[in-house]
Amino acid sequence: ADLELEGGGVVVLSDVLTRAALRAYRRCLDHASVWYAAGMGNMTGKDDVIVGACMHEGLGPFPLTHQIGLELSECLPRSLGQHKLRDVRARRFHTAAPDSVMWDPRAEDGVWAAYLFASTPAAGGDGLRVMEERVPEDWSEQEAFGMNVGTGRGGGGKVVAYQENTLVLFEAKRFHAPVFRPASWEQGFENRRLDITWLYGDSHSRFARDISKQDQSTS
């Protein structure tokens, strides 16, 4: 898996957590008060479609958040293990959303992304599309990781079908988007699609470049 990631591939791992660990983590999140409305791409203004949480705003106190992230980095020492855990982001999708929802591709502000399918769909059709296109190196931090940077991006890449307890690993700078069919999910908050992403590494070069541009503009 390390070699494939280093070669720019998309790695898919099945049954990545024990059933007990996955159930315990999901149960904690089901009863947690950490969720907030989180627009995504062209879903801005439709906050009932998705709710989110992140490590620095609610997920941090859960021991399994860090334990899973640490064990993933230990299992992949040449890729994830070379970087600190930057953030963890969880998203829950609304089962009452229209079936025509389309999500803009986006990139993540890190080096590696470990994207976990943590729920059980009632039917098929969901997944994650990881595109071949990557964020251009000369983009600023705001350009690279803004909410709508992927608007109008082309297709292609790899579509990973949604299956509970499956982990998708890829370069965080690759554009990606969920494939979401609300009809695939049963009603009720605990039955919503739950995706959790561990992000490793920092994009210091982009931050440094942005600061340099600001310094030049004020000098």
Side-chain angles (χ1 to χ4, degrees):
D2 264 333
L3 291 176
E4 189 170 350
L5 272 179
E6 291 175 338
V10 176
V11 175
V12 180
L13 302 176
S14 301
D15 297 322
V16 68
L17 301 178
T18 65
R19 292 291 175 181
L22 181 59
R23 283 197 300 268
Y25 196 31
R26 196 163 57 197
R27 187 163 52 250
C28 287
L29 296 180
D30 284 346
H31 297 92
S33 57
V34 299
W35 301 99
Y36 57 86
M40 185 175 179
N42 59 11
M43 288 294 96
T44 302
K46 298 183 179 180
D47 291 335
D48 61 331
V49 172
I50 189 172
V51 292
C54 63
M55 184 167 68
H56 304 294
E57 295 180 359
L59 287 181
F62 294 103
L64 280 173
T65 297
H66 299 279
Q67 182 180 342
I68 294 171
L70 177 61
E71 292 187 7
L72 287 175
S73 64
E74 290 176 347
C75 291
L76 297 166
R78 291 182 51 172
S79 51
L80 307 188
Q82 296 299 310
H83 302 276
K84 290 183 178 180
L85 180 64
R86 171 185 171 83
D87 201 357
V88 183
R89 296 170 186 172
R91 297 185 178 102
R92 301 197 87 141
F93 297 69
H94 203 314
T95 53
D99 206 35
S100 60
V101 167
M102 296 294 291
W103 302 94
D104 284 336
R106 62 172 299 174
E108 303 286 2
D109 46 346
V111 176
W112 301 109
Y115 196 107
L116 178 68
F117 298 151
S119 301
T120 305
D126 275 41
L128 178 71
R129 179 163 61 94
V130 183
M131 302 169 63
E132 293 291 347
E133 188 172 3
R134 292 158 170 79
V135 172
E137 290 296 331
D138 59 348
W139 279 19
S140 69
E141 197 78 10
Q142 183 175 3
E143 290 173 316
F145 307 118
M147 291 301 295
N148 294 300
V149 295
T151 304
R153 298 281 156 182
K158 182 182 182 70
V159 176
V160 181
Y162 200 104
Q163 186 172 355
E164 182 191 38
N165 206 10
T166 294
L167 188 74
V168 187
L169 299 144
F170 54 93
E171 291 177 275
K173 65 182 179 181
R174 292 180 69 157
F175 287 109
H176 56 281
V179 178
F180 177 54
R181 294 181 64 254
S184 299
W185 302 88
E186 296 179 359
Q187 298 296 315
F189 184 78
E190 69 279 2
N191 295 320
R192 288 187 184 186
R193 171 172 167 171
L194 172 61
D195 296 357
I196 306 171
T197 307
W198 285 263
L199 294 173
Y200 298 83
D202 224 331
S203 46
H204 292 298
S205 60
R206 291 188 186 279
F207 282 116
R209 186 159 53 243
D210 288 351
I211 294 173
S212 177
K213 287 181 180 178
Q214 293 174 8
D215 291 342
Q216 293 174 9
S217 65
T218 56
S219 60

